[in-house]
Amino acid sequence: QVQLVESGGELVQAGESLRLSCVASGSIFFRISDMGWYRQVPGKQRELVAAMAAGGSTNYADSVKGRFTISRDNAKNTVYLQMNGLKPEDTAVYYCNLDLSRRQTGLVYWGQGTQVTVSS
């Protein structure tokens, strides 16, 4: 089965940077998959942070535009989230998402999440 494993989350100070990684193992369709990073805090819905379609187009939440950058390395089946200028409100569990629903309805995968904590 496809497995998504996030890493890189940790405790950092406000204003610092962090890079999250997500490795999609067992996914021969990574190259044609839409990839995304979501985050969730207690009491709130999981929200899209950044996404990159298979074709390379990107989309960002307004709250992270100009600070976060999503990228992917198809040779390594890995998607990254570079987070600069972190703010306390960025504190959340960040989840990696692999989405093939444009080709097969409902075919999505989620990672286990990695905790990002930004102290003030």
Side-chain angles (χ1 to χ4, degrees):
Q1 277 192 332
V2 174
Q3 286 188 320
L4 304 178
V5 180
E6 304 98 331
S7 62
E10 60 182 87
L11 172 64
V12 297
Q13 299 285 334
E16 295 184 342
S17 298
L18 204 57
R19 189 179 77 159
L20 306 182
S21 299
C22 171
V23 179
S25 63
S27 180
I28 63 173
F29 299 110
F30 181 86
R31 183 181 61 82
I32 61 172
S33 299
D34 302 321
M35 300 299 300
W37 286 97
Y38 291 71
R39 66 187 181 189
Q40 188 170 28
V41 298
K44 294 187 64 178
Q45 292 280 331
R46 189 172 299 182
E47 65 176 357
L48 176 68
V49 177
M52 176 174 281
S57 62
T58 58
N59 188 42
Y60 296 92
D62 289 340
S63 60
V64 307
K65 286 181 179 177
R67 298 189 298 120
F68 291 9
T69 303
I70 187 171
S71 62
R72 63 196 293 166
D73 186 338
N74 289 334
K76 297 181 178 179
N77 278 15
T78 301
V79 63
Y80 305 94
L81 184 66
Q82 179 66 44
M83 304 184 293
N84 298 327
L86 284 163
K87 304 175 180 179
E89 50 262 46
D90 295 319
T91 296
V93 177
Y94 285 71
Y95 296 90
C96 179
N97 171 265
L98 185 155
D99 191 338
L100 281 164
S101 61
R102 287 194 292 171
R103 297 179 180 271
Q104 183 171 327
T105 301
L107 188 57
V108 297
Y109 299 90
W110 292 95
Q112 81 289 347
T114 185
Q115 176 71 48
V116 173
T117 302
V118 185
S119 64
S120 59

